[in-house]
Amino acid sequence: MSNSKNTELNFIIEGANCGSCVAKIEKALKSVQGANNVEMNFAERTVRVEGSAGQSALIKAVENIGYGAKPMSNKSDQDALDEKAKSDDAHYKKLMRNMMLALGVGVPLMVYGLIFDMSVSTTTQRIAWFVVGIITLVVMAVSGKQFYKGAWQAFKNHAANMDTLIALGTGTAWLYSMFVVIAPSLLPEVARHVYFEASSMIIGLISLGLAFEVKARGRTSQAIKRLIGLQAKTARVVREGQEQDIDINDVQKNDHVRVRPGEKIPVDGNVLEGSSRVDESMLTGEPMPISKQADDKVVAGSINKGGTLLFEATHVGHETTLANIINMVKRAQNSKPSIGRLADVISGIFVPTVMIIAILAALAWLNFGPEPSIAYAVVALTTVLIIACPCALGLATPMSVMVGVGKAAESGILIRNGESLQTTSKITTMILDKTGTITQGAPQVTDVVTFNSADENNVMQLVASLESSSEHPLAEAIMQHAKKQNITLSKATDFDAITGKGVSGKVNGQILLFGNKALMDKYEIAVDEATEQAHRFAKEAKTPMYFACDNQLTALIAVADPIKEDSAEAIKRLQHKGIHLVMLTGDNKATAQAVAKKVGIDDFIAEVLPQDKVNEVSKRQQQGEIVGMTGDGINDAPALAKADVGFAIGTGTDVAIESADITLMRGSLHGLADAIAISSATIGNIKQNLFGAFIYNVAGIPIAAGVLYPFFGLLLNPVVAGAAMALSSLTVVTNANRLRFFKPNKS
Amino acid sequence: MLMINILGAILIAAIIYWFWLYKPKQIQTDDNAVTIVVDNGVYQPGNIKVAANKQVALTFNRKDSAPCAETVVFPALDISKSLAMGDDNKITLPALKAGEYDFHCQMQMYKGKLIAE
């Protein structure tokens, strides 16, 4: 089998007429670098190539031996989008033309009907109405062709849909009217009334509704369009010392890519040289451009704002972060929260049910209705068929999910599926991991206190030189600090790491010790003068480190993992929503307490082992809470999986997208509050839509059937039903689009 | 009047029979690959027998522009895929355990069934 990292490309081969071409073409393709597995299907004239070879190189290889090759339905996302926009536009124009013809005939007829009586008594009237009937038939055949065709095809296949209802409704109205014109004597005089205007008006109004719906549906996918639009079309790669612009699909892993100011980063990679600021806001929602230099990661779709960057491609094609995001958003937009499933069940059996109700209503009018009962029966039958709209019910959920998931993606929040969306809106308890979630996750030197008139720069130079050999996370903080102060390091000798205590070694001939109090105790170094300071640091969630030079305490260095600037504010937002917050940390109690107090969390648990995080989640679940868990997605994975909704929070684009139900691309906890706000808004929107569609059908069908007639003498006109049907699905789509303007409240 | 009522009842019975009680003809597949045409409100074929414990390669050819036809859903497999119009859309299903697997469009107006044996 092929390596999973390899891609598969399919081509249609042109001009291959003999069996012997197969071997030739396969040989030519195999000779292309990176083509591992080539298989040609002569019967279909197609060839499949596995491996990392670029598309255009393969096409060229085939062309070089005298054949043609065309990529097979390997359309880019952008092409697919363009095509869809084009077909949507054509569909829209066609619907509008249909609408104009149908209303062009229907409106004058209706106006006439309002002024005069559309009854048939004289021969002249019969002839006139017969002509009108034929004109209406033409309108139905031209403007309503798709409805009748669709209804008939569905009927042949034992299926029923919206077309069925429209075809039956308008067909009934026309047939009855024609019957009145041809054989009025068979009907009582009061029932000799024609309904030709209904057929035309219904077709016109529904076409208009559908046209608007096509437009509105296009807008619901705007977020994904924007993401796809982030993809660059070409990349400037440096191969054999030459810079060349190549198609984005031909960029290969390890290619060196150059990006100038103002250009889009085409693929993911690691910066080799240059420095710049890169705008990742479209991907992460992080508004400030991020500075990039050698060894930093860049991602496809971000925009280079400053200088020129040269980077090595690490992820290309469908492996880039952007491609993953697009994929995930697309998948989530097609999924459905369980709240929408009821509507599906209903719409599945909806159409035949409506047909039965229409027949029952007509029978009721015929049996019990006043004269002319046959006319009433026809009106009721037509109106019930037309007013019932399974579309509004069926569209209610998918439209809102589409907009909600897209809206979230725009703010750097990736939602796995509709179900996560629904559960997120119901979270009652949110467990937050401390390190990397509430805090930055990278320890920093916060204070340096020196003793015995030691010089701070001198101390840092010695400590950094000593720590340069260490791999401890705290050493990283010291090195960062030294780097910021441009300290030049000296060579350390006799380096020794004392597990659980610290390090020792020699720099510039001085004997150095750096570590915790236990290390000082071990070497019997007096630390009394630092004790009070050390306690104070501990209370502020800082870890005190002792530094001794030639057996004398020289400095106390505090290292802390700083709390993210906006953590406290975001936590307040979450609490404001009534969510109970719990902080978990592996740190000691003093640090945990200090951090919890600073951000305003009362419920915290310190010294938690990774496996205990899972237990904490289940414990809260057993108490009946709906538990969200937020962590960095790496060492919290089991707890994230156990929680009702797992949130992986990352800094920038580093986060593993597949690791959680919801991925927060932005490091800020505001993303979490935003995610909950957007989920609640989306679920709220779905409920409005479902309620609206449900009420519309529940109320509309009986009214159309005539239940209000015995009490208020009210019976709907079929034209009103047509307008209502056109409006109902349009209302749903428009309401879903309203979500696009939703702004999570930052206060 | 009695005639009309009987006629109505027959019509209702016919609707129930035609739309709900009818079972589409079963189609046997060769090597677990089948092309399903999505057109006129139905999946054709819509009742497909496949071999269990083997991957199933489905190709959906969508000719129907109705919104419902846009997405095909396999609820039991948690698969939901949008189908490009006028195109062959390939969906590969994992090896299925013996049993029945329904699939439908997003509003369940189009329905189909895979029977793994």
Side-chain angles (χ1 to χ4, degrees):
Chain A
M1 274 311 284
S2 69
N3 183 327
S4 66
K5 285 217 168 115
N6 286 349
T7 50
E8 183 190 305
L9 293 171
N10 290 284
F11 298 95
I12 297 169
I13 300 294
E14 290 159 340
N17 299 317
C18 53
S20 64
C21 317
V22 175
K24 246 165 93 184
I25 291 167
E26 284 188 348
K27 200 176 146 209
L29 287 170
K30 271 181 197 156
S31 69
V32 177
Q33 203 198 345
N36 296 337
N37 200 354
V38 178
E39 253 173 62
M40 176 148 174
N41 179 335
F42 180 65
E44 291 179 354
R45 305 285 197 282
T46 59
V47 64
R48 195 184 68 179
V49 184
E50 282 174 9
S52 57
Q55 183 172 296
S56 46
L58 292 168
I59 293 176
K60 209 157 172 213
V62 176
E63 283 171 353
N64 280 346
I65 54 166
Y67 301 103
K70 257 192 345 205
M72 198 168 76
S73 78
N74 198 13
K75 274 182 257 166
S76 74
D77 290 334
Q78 186 66 51
D79 292 343
L81 263 187
D82 290 347
E83 237 167 68
K84 186 164 187 312
K86 230 163 135 194
S87 84
D88 275 357
D89 194 49
H91 192 196
Y92 173 79
K93 284 188 180 136
K94 192 173 155 220
L95 285 167
M96 288 304 268
R97 277 198 304 273
N98 289 345
M99 179 275 292
M100 283 193 277
L101 174 65
L103 291 190
V105 172
V107 171
L109 268 181
M110 197 175 75
V111 172
Y112 178 87
L114 290 175
I115 302 167
F116 308 100
D117 187 22
M118 285 169 84
S119 59
V120 183
S121 36
T122 66
T123 315
T124 330
Q125 276 175 338
R126 279 180 65 189
I127 294 168
W129 282 120
F130 183 78
V131 173
V132 170
I134 296 303
I135 293 172
T136 307
L137 186 65
V138 172
V139 169
M140 287 159 74
V142 175
S143 292
K145 190 173 141 206
Q146 48 162 339
F147 302 129
Y148 301 106
K149 216 177 116 199
W152 173 240
Q153 299 285 10
F155 178 77
K156 275 199 309 196
N157 291 306
H158 300 266
N161 53 27
M162 191 181 100
D163 294 341
T164 314
L165 295 177
I166 298 167
L168 284 175
T170 55
T172 308
W174 188 86
L175 282 175
Y176 175 78
S177 306
M178 224 38 186
F179 184 71
V180 170
V181 172
I182 293 170
S185 53
L186 291 179
L187 293 161
E189 204 163 325
V190 277
R192 291 175 198 166
H193 190 275
V194 292
Y195 298 99
F196 289 123
E197 93 285 7
S199 302
S200 290
M201 285 299 291
I202 289 165
I203 288 171
L205 289 170
I206 291 171
S207 298
L208 182 65
L210 285 175
F212 286 152
E213 197 187 308
V214 167
K215 281 269 148 168
R217 283 172 66 88
R219 281 196 293 272
T220 58
S221 51
Q222 223 159 44
I224 195 103
K225 277 184 205 153
R226 208 169 299 161
L227 282 172
I228 289 169
L230 292 179
Q231 190 72 258
K233 289 202 166 58
T234 59
R236 187 173 302 115
V237 299
V238 186
R239 283 184 184 161
E240 290 148 14
Q242 292 275 316
E243 266 188 33
Q244 41 182 317
D245 281 334
I246 62 168
D247 191 278
I248 186 84
N249 291 317
D250 291 338
V251 180
Q252 295 184 16
K253 221 169 152 173
N254 302 332
D255 264 339
H256 288 189
V257 183
R258 197 182 297 283
V259 200
R260 303 222 172 96
E263 289 180 339
K264 278 180 202 152
I265 310 265
V267 294
D268 291 1
N270 279 328
V271 177
L272 295 170
E273 48 186 70
S275 73
S276 177
R277 281 170 304 111
V278 171
D279 179 3
E280 295 180 347
S281 61
M282 298 290 269
L283 292 164
T284 64
E286 184 70 60
M288 296 299 289
I290 294 157
S291 94
K292 299 279 180 190
Q293 44 203 317
D295 291 336
D296 283 340
K297 281 183 188 162
V298 288
V299 290
S302 52
I303 296 161
N304 181 18
K305 290 277 189 192
T308 301
L309 288 173
L310 181 72
F311 69 92
E312 186 179 53
T314 52
H315 294 96
V316 298
H318 290 295
E319 292 173 12
T320 64
T321 305
L322 178 62
N324 278 325
I325 292 174
I326 291 172
N327 231 331
M328 183 161 173
V329 172
K330 264 193 192 164
R331 246 190 340 214
Q333 284 185 329
N334 281 333
S335 73
K336 209 180 272 183
S338 49
I339 185 175
R341 303 236 169 91
L342 173 71
D344 286 345
V345 175
I346 295 172
S347 41
I349 56 164
F350 193 79
V351 177
T353 310
V354 168
M355 285 156 67
I356 292 171
I357 293 173
I359 293 170
L360 290 175
L363 287 180
W365 278 101
L366 285 171
N367 285 307
F368 313 111
E371 283 305 320
S373 64
I374 177 137
Y376 282 123
V378 167
V379 169
L381 181 75
T382 309
T383 316
V384 168
L385 288 171
I386 296 301
I387 204 163
C389 180
C391 315
L393 267 177
L395 286 172
T397 311
M399 287 296 105
S400 305
V401 170
M402 189 107 163
V403 180
V405 167
K407 179 86 205 168
E410 279 176 10
S411 329
I413 299 160
L414 302 181
I415 298 171
R416 178 180 293 282
N417 56 37
E419 199 55 46
S420 330
L421 197 72
Q422 188 177 346
T423 319
T424 301
S425 71
K426 292 197 285 201
I427 288 173
T428 54
T429 293
M430 176 67 80
I431 301 179
L432 302 163
D433 183 42
K434 180 185 76 90
T435 311
T437 303
I438 297 174
T439 66
Q440 287 175 3
Q444 288 177 11
V445 172
T446 55
D447 304 80
V448 181
V449 181
T450 57
F451 303 102
N452 304 323
S453 59
D455 173 60
E456 189 182 319
N457 274 338
N458 199 17
V459 164
M460 279 320 293
Q461 199 266 338
L462 289 172
V463 174
S465 302
L466 177 66
E467 283 283 45
S468 63
S469 307
S470 168
E471 281 160 6
H472 197 272
L474 289 181
E476 179 74 10
I478 301 284
M479 298 315 292
Q480 284 290 340
H481 189 71
K483 202 172 154 190
K484 251 189 257 164
Q485 302 194 325
N486 291 322
I487 287 171
T488 345
L489 300 183
S490 309
K491 196 167 161 45
T493 54
D494 302 337
F495 178 81
D496 191 19
I498 304 135
T499 312
K501 294 192 170 74
V503 293
S504 67
K506 272 186 185 172
V507 173
N508 303 339
Q510 290 170 298
I511 301 165
L512 307 180
L513 292 169
F514 183 60
N516 55 21
K517 187 154 175 297
L519 182 74
M520 298 296 126
D521 291 347
K522 187 182 174 204
Y523 287 90
E524 296 176 347
I525 290 160
V527 293
D528 298 343
E529 53 185 327
T531 307
E532 197 189 323
Q533 187 68 47
H535 277 307
R536 203 173 311 141
F537 283 154
K539 254 189 208 155
E540 291 167 9
K542 295 169 181 171
T543 308
M545 305 279 285
Y546 298 80
F547 175 61
C549 184
D550 289 332
N551 288 323
Q552 195 180 27
L553 181 70
T554 316
L556 191 65
I557 299 175
V559 176
D561 181 5
I563 294 170
K564 289 175 191 166
E565 252 175 49
D566 49 10
S567 285
E569 198 187 320
I571 280 166
K572 217 175 274 165
R573 275 179 71 195
L574 290 167
Q575 286 166 335
H576 198 70
K577 287 203 162 69
I579 295 169
H580 179 73
L581 296 177
V582 184
M583 185 184 89
L584 294 187
T585 177
D587 268 357
N588 62 60
K589 206 166 169 194
T591 310
Q593 187 159 28
V595 172
K597 195 168 168 221
K598 244 185 185 163
V599 296
I601 295 178
D602 304 321
D603 192 352
F604 68 91
I605 301 164
E607 288 158 23
V608 181
L609 299 171
Q611 62 267 33
D612 293 341
K613 289 183 183 172
V614 186
N615 298 339
E616 194 56 38
V617 171
S618 359
K619 200 180 102 193
R620 307 271 170 168
Q621 281 172 331
Q622 275 155 23
Q623 290 165 3
E625 303 286 325
I626 297 184
V627 180
M629 168 81 207
T630 310
D632 57 16
I634 301 154
N635 47 30
D636 306 321
L640 290 187
K642 175 77 196 159
D644 294 296
V645 188
F647 295 82
I649 192 163
T651 35
T653 42
D654 260 356
V655 65
I657 291 174
E658 290 296 327
S659 65
D661 297 313
I662 297 191
T663 305
L664 308 169
M665 306 286 288
R666 207 167 11 143
S668 162
L669 272 183
H670 275 303
L672 186 61
D674 289 351
I676 292 172
I678 291 174
S679 299
S680 303
T682 307
I683 296 298
N685 195 275
I686 291 173
K687 283 182 183 160
Q688 291 159 12
N689 276 348
L690 283 176
F691 180 78
F694 198 67
I695 283 296
Y696 163 79
N697 279 304
V698 162
I701 294 173
I703 292 173
V707 287
L708 293 184
Y709 188 83
F711 313 107
F712 307 104
L714 178 71
L715 188 61
L716 285 186
N717 182 308
V719 176
V720 174
M725 179 178 186
L727 269 179
S728 68
S729 43
L730 187 64
T731 314
V732 163
V733 179
T734 309
N735 188 42
N737 262 312
R738 219 169 42 84
L739 261 185
R740 287 196 297 133
F741 306 104
F742 173 77
K743 282 209 170 59
N745 185 12
K746 273 271 161 77
S747 64
Chain B
M1 201 58 231
L2 184 70
M3 279 301 290
I4 289 175
N5 285 331
I6 292 172
L7 203 71
I10 291 172
L11 215 51
I12 291 172
I15 289 170
I16 293 172
Y17 167 76
W18 190 260
F19 293 109
W20 286 334
L21 300 181
Y22 173 82
K23 290 263 175 288
K25 214 168 70 200
Q26 212 166 65
I27 300 285
Q28 194 91 35
T29 62
D30 304 328
D31 58 10
N32 268 19
V34 64
T35 298
I36 299 165
V37 178
V38 189
D39 200 6
N40 306 317
V42 285
Y43 296 117
Q44 194 65 3
N47 189 354
I48 305 153
K49 208 181 246 177
V50 296
N53 306 315
K54 231 177 105 186
Q55 275 198 353
V56 184
L58 299 177
T59 305
F60 281 88
N61 186 335
R62 178 179 166 212
K63 295 176 176 166
D64 195 329
S65 67
C68 194
E70 193 171 334
T71 309
V72 61
V73 185
F74 292 81
L77 306 170
D78 201 19
I79 290 174
S80 164
K81 221 178 139 152
S82 50
L83 306 176
M85 185 67 190
D87 211 348
D88 280 343
N89 299 274
K90 290 190 192 312
I91 299 178
T92 307
L93 303 181
L96 301 175
K97 282 189 203 138
E100 291 192 358
Y101 298 86
D102 288 333
F103 58 95
H104 51 76
C105 72
Q106 59 183 350
M107 289 147 68
Q108 291 199 19
M109 295 176 79
Y110 305 34
K111 283 179 177 171
K113 187 186 280 177
L114 286 177
I115 297 147
E117 278 182 358

